[in-house]
Amino acid sequence: MQSKIPATVITGFLGAGKTTIIRNLLMNAQGRRIALIINEFGDLGVDGDVLKGCGAETCSEDDIVELTNGCICCTVADDFIPTMEKLLERDRLPDHIVIETSGLALPQPLVNAFNWPGIKERVTVDGVVTVVDSAAVAAGRFADDEDRVDALRAADESLDHESPLEELFEDQLTAADLIILNKSDLVDAAGLSAVRNDVAARTSRKPQMIEASGGEVSAAVLLGLGVGTESDIANRRSHHEIEHENGEEHDHDDFESFVVDLGGVAAPDRFSKALRDIIATHDILRLKGFADVAGKPMRLVVQAVGSRVDSYFDRAWKPGEERGTRLVVIGLHDGLDEAAITAALQDAAR
Ligand SMILES: Nc1nc2c(ncn2[C@@H]2O[C@H](COP(=O)(O)OP(=O)(O)OP(=O)(O)O)[C@@H](O)[C@H]2O)c(=O)[nH]1
């Protein structure tokens, strides 16, 4: 009998470093043929595009499938299952499937989909890997900020739970077989130890935890968990599922995003600096995309997580490709002033 294809689910909050870890994996895949399914929040396939740009031979553009509707937990049956079925119809099957969930997705319904007839016989979940932004945890980003939650509740009565960030963070930890404390380069040893304790206290299960920076995790560790998580996922229920079972309505609008289309960016350093201020002023959780810098043949990748802004030129604009600056902005529902943010970004690009 043909053995099942292993699938690794990589989850973790917005900007934790999922794409960076996958990129590193593709560059060090040691001949494994990897198929990638990427789910992203926000109407701009940045992660897929960054990975296609990495040029790894073991993962060609055909091997990358993007699901850009953002909420894999709601659309498993509509989107994910047909995608898996199509992948399994291919003549050349992958050795391993890697699924990057959006930073706002719950892994539980996704893992449960591996119990679906037609998929269960052919694929097994090798493991769920939850990537943690150690710097964000150290900065208290997931701690329950009561003032902020109260303010949100006052603005939106439909908020049916405490802090959306904290709850999602915990749900992603609860699903984990392996937790990667990423961005260890940004936190000192005492800070990392505190992060480890904080993370451990947020899940009653005791998955293995490792530290990493720059996405450097060996393929043997990442792809060799051998758990078969689909058989255990019923024991790792999320707040979301528990609320449903208790008959509570859960709305999925805790977060929102929009895309800003700008022309060229005149001065990238000034732009990055202005981004930091705009992000802080407007409580933006995540901002990412590509920029067209005046006079440069290369496209600039812009990545901001909280107040940290990274940018680098990844590849030349292709002949015939429309140059431009497109950024996706993600924040809490009702927390983003789209008009003011757009105006501020336009101003920063000039
Ligand atoms: N300093 C530092 N930066 C990192 C590390 N890992 C990732 N980053 C940076 O963090 C930013 C976000 O990384 P991504 O890999 O895009 O994060 P992600 O989890 O895929 O993000 P979403 O898909 O938007 O949720 C990028 O600017 C990365 O370069 C790390 O270990 N250390």
Side-chain angles (χ1 to χ4, degrees):
M1 200 190 81
Q2 204 187 2
S3 59
K4 293 186 186 182
I5 303 172
T8 298
V9 175
I10 304 204
T11 187
F13 194 69
L14 292 170
K18 299 175 292 294
T19 308
T20 308
I21 286 173
I22 293 171
R23 188 187 164 123
N24 184 67
L25 170 73
L26 297 180
M27 306 307 279
N28 298 285
Q30 294 157 346
R32 287 182 187 86
R33 190 181 161 92
I34 294 175
L36 261 183
I37 299 177
I38 303 174
N39 177 229
E40 192 159 6
F41 189 81
D43 193 17
L44 189 66
V46 179
D47 294 358
D49 221 72
V50 163
L51 290 166
K52 282 175 195 164
C54 83
E57 282 173 18
T58 41
C59 188
S60 69
E61 292 204 7
D62 287 348
D63 292 324
I64 302 181
V65 185
E66 291 172 81
L67 304 173
T68 49
N69 60 47
C71 190
I72 221 172
C73 65
C74 308
T75 57
V76 159
D78 295 345
D79 277 357
F80 176 69
I81 290 173
T83 300
M84 280 298 285
E85 286 168 342
K86 257 209 199 116
L87 197 68
L88 295 172
E89 280 167 13
R90 290 188 179 182
D91 291 337
R92 261 189 88 197
L93 291 171
D95 300 318
H96 204 108
I97 299 168
V98 172
I99 301 158
E100 177 183 352
T101 76
S102 94
L104 301 176
L106 293 173
Q108 284 86 346
L110 170 67
V111 174
N112 217 357
F114 286 83
N115 290 310
W116 196 269
I119 294 180
K120 189 177 176 58
E121 300 76 24
R122 304 201 46 205
V123 187
T124 183
V125 180
D126 186 57
V128 174
V129 176
T130 302
V131 184
V132 170
D133 179 338
S134 303
V137 176
R141 187 110 164 267
F142 303 103
D144 203 347
D145 178 342
E146 284 176 21
D147 290 346
R148 187 169 170 179
V149 172
D150 286 348
L152 278 169
R153 274 167 175 261
D156 179 0
E157 286 173 6
S158 68
L159 265 189
D160 54 4
H161 41 68
E162 292 301 296
S163 151
L165 252 72
E166 184 176 34
E167 191 173 286
L168 184 60
F169 181 56
E170 290 179 0
D171 286 343
Q172 292 176 339
L173 292 174
T174 298
D177 293 298
L178 171 70
I179 294 175
I180 298 178
L181 302 179
N182 192 40
K183 306 197 187 180
S184 62
D185 55 307
L186 298 180
V187 184
D188 64 17
L192 263 179
S193 159
V195 169
R196 191 178 272 270
N197 291 339
D198 182 335
V199 167
R202 289 174 187 272
T203 163
S204 52
R205 300 178 56 255
K206 294 283 164 258
Q208 191 195 346
M209 263 193 246
I210 59 172
E211 291 165 13
S213 70
E216 287 180 22
V217 183
S218 89
V221 170
L222 214 51
L223 306 184
L225 295 168
V227 177
T229 316
E230 69 275 18
S231 306
D232 188 49
I233 198 66
N235 299 319
R236 308 182 187 185
R237 289 179 317 154
S238 59
H239 288 92
H240 178 113
E241 289 158 299
I242 293 166
E243 280 161 16
H244 268 300
E245 279 159 27
N246 292 341
E248 289 171 39
E249 278 300 309
H250 182 100
D251 86 63
H252 297 274
D253 299 342
D254 288 339
F255 301 91
E256 67 181 45
S257 76
F258 60 90
V259 174
V260 179
D261 235 313
L262 306 166
V265 167
D269 288 348
R270 184 157 49 78
F271 187 63
S272 288
K273 206 160 160 279
L275 281 186
R276 244 170 293 223
D277 294 338
I278 295 168
I279 286 165
T281 307
H282 294 277
D283 260 345
I284 294 170
L285 289 170
R286 182 85 166 101
L287 182 152
K288 61 182 175 177
F290 303 103
D292 172 20
V293 179
K296 294 279 182 192
M298 305 279 282
R299 118 186 139 165
L300 187 74
V301 179
V302 177
Q303 289 270 14
V305 184
S307 61
R308 285 191 65 84
V309 179
D310 287 340
S311 59
Y312 60 93
F313 291 99
D314 79 325
R315 65 158 173 81
W317 292 100
K318 294 178 189 161
E321 186 177 20
E322 196 187 331
R323 291 179 64 139
T325 301
R326 299 194 78 209
L327 302 168
V328 61
V329 179
I330 305 177
L332 282 167
H333 180 62
D334 282 344
L336 292 181
D337 182 343
E338 181 170 344
I341 294 169
T342 303
L345 289 171
Q346 282 166 340
D347 201 37
R350 274 187 205 114

